[in-house]
Amino acid sequence: MAIITISRELAALGDEIAHELAEQTGYRFVDKQSLENRITSYGFNSSKLEKYDEKKPTFWASLSKDRDDYVHYLKTALYTEAEMGSCIFVGRGANAIFKDIPGCIFVRLIAPLSVRIERVKSYFRCDEKRAKQIIEQSDKDRAAFHRYFFDIDWANPTNYHLVINTGIVHPTSAAEEVRHLLQLLVSPDTEAQLKIKLQNLSLGQKIIHHILYTLGVPIHFLEAICIGDRVVLRGVANSQSAVEAAVAGAQQVPGVSQVESEIQIIQEYSVMP
């Protein structure tokens, strides 16, 4: 079992290589539509997805609760898909969300601007000027998305195991290189570690969802760190009753036996009348 994430520039053949890689490895390619379908199945409106999907939100959208909901449901969808078995994700910040998790391979696809322009011209049936504008906007959006939501440099090669120039490497060869890297880096031990880590992350998401969305307990910046059936809650609340409600809520989630709270209580400051 392993997870492959593909970060790509526009017109760097991300989907093509993901499909080829799926053929070579037997892994599921979780494409954009499949991931969006899962997110919207949780109740997150598809029109809201457009505000946040691989772009920095506008000023007003950044102030909306929808921003936090988007990240929560995106993580939930990715963890759920990953728990189902070996899979391939393209974009959506998957490399940041699965960062430092054993058994994950992070790939970045690039291509020379001249090659990307020709591909965009062909795909969108536009002239060179318009193609360049489309590419520049896409690069700007994706870089801002990763910086805003995950605080990482999208273009930094040190965030990836492998960077491939698809201007000179055919999709079949690119997939073969990723598959070879997979064989080198993923062992039975890392597979076992990955399964345990995914179980813990998925359980943490379920706890957060139950506390914030089902029970509506007002905990800010809530985290649920799970190690087996033991859970540590972290965040900020303005009352002890909220902390107690969060702890009680976590205990209601199947698979949880012990809950510890590291939630800080910060009283809201109010001006004397």
Side-chain angles (χ1 to χ4, degrees):
M1 177 181 179
I3 297 170
I4 301 171
T5 75
I6 297 176
S7 176
R8 76 288 183 233
E9 295 179 331
L10 181 68
L13 308 182
D15 282 4
E16 291 86 343
I17 291 173
H19 280 294
E20 181 63 35
L21 193 54
E23 286 289 327
Q24 292 188 23
T25 62
Y27 285 19
R28 288 181 305 113
F29 170 30
V30 185
D31 60 16
K32 176 182 177 181
Q33 190 59 55
S34 297
L35 201 59
E36 287 185 354
N37 288 344
R38 183 169 290 280
I39 292 173
T40 54
S41 74
Y42 300 139
F44 193 78
N45 193 287
S46 58
S47 64
K48 296 178 182 178
L49 271 174
E50 182 61 28
K51 298 179 183 178
Y52 305 101
D53 185 48
E54 293 201 306
K55 62 173 70 73
K56 179 181 178 180
T58 63
F59 175 75
W60 292 113
S62 69
L63 300 178
S64 170
K65 181 179 177 295
D66 291 341
R67 173 201 60 186
D68 298 330
D69 292 348
Y70 168 75
V71 175
H72 171 74
Y73 288 123
L74 175 62
K75 286 182 178 181
T76 301
L78 288 170
Y79 294 156
T80 300
E81 292 288 349
E83 273 198 297
M84 294 169 62
S86 299
C87 55
I88 303 163
F89 297 111
V90 174
R92 272 83 223 170
N95 61 304
I97 290 173
F98 290 104
K99 183 181 179 182
D100 298 328
I101 297 178
C104 296
I105 302 296
F106 306 131
V107 179
R108 177 165 170 77
L109 305 178
I110 62 173
L113 179 60
S114 59
V115 173
R116 297 170 69 198
I117 287 174
E118 289 305 312
R119 289 172 178 169
V120 170
K121 282 171 60 180
S122 175
Y123 184 83
F124 288 103
R125 299 174 184 247
C126 61
D127 60 21
E128 182 169 331
K129 180 179 179 181
R130 179 56 183 151
K132 189 174 181 181
Q133 290 174 340
I134 292 171
I135 290 169
E136 289 175 347
Q137 186 61 52
S138 174
D139 287 351
K140 180 180 177 181
D141 285 342
R142 290 177 181 178
F145 171 79
H146 284 78
R147 186 169 56 250
Y148 178 81
F149 285 107
F150 309 111
D151 193 28
I152 68 167
D153 181 356
W154 173 65
N156 188 337
T158 63
N159 289 321
Y160 307 93
H161 293 97
L162 181 65
V163 179
I164 300 176
N165 180 353
T166 66
I168 57 176
V169 179
H170 189 273
T172 300
S173 299
E176 289 173 352
E177 290 297 324
V178 177
R179 181 167 56 85
H180 180 61
L181 183 63
L182 191 68
Q183 294 169 345
L184 291 174
L185 297 184
V186 179
S187 66
D189 183 54
T190 55
E191 289 181 2
Q193 293 178 49
L194 171 59
K195 289 180 180 179
I196 292 171
K197 187 65 175 178
L198 285 174
Q199 289 171 357
N200 289 335
L201 289 170
S202 182
L203 179 58
Q205 282 299 110
K206 292 174 183 175
I207 292 167
I208 291 171
H209 185 87
H210 186 64
I211 293 171
L212 297 183
Y213 295 86
T214 302
L215 301 178
V217 181
I219 305 293
H220 303 287
F221 315 114
L222 179 62
E223 296 178 24
I225 296 88
C226 299
I227 303 175
D229 58 2
R230 175 178 172 268
V231 181
V232 178
L233 298 179
R234 294 174 182 165
V236 177
N238 60 16
S239 70
Q240 181 61 35
S241 62
V243 175
E244 292 171 357
V247 171
Q251 292 172 332
Q252 295 169 1
V253 177
V256 175
S257 66
Q258 181 181 351
V259 181
E260 297 178 18
S261 174
E262 294 181 3
I263 299 173
Q264 299 180 48
I265 299 176
I266 299 178
Q267 298 292 339
E268 293 181 348
Y269 178 80
S270 59
V271 179
M272 291 291 290

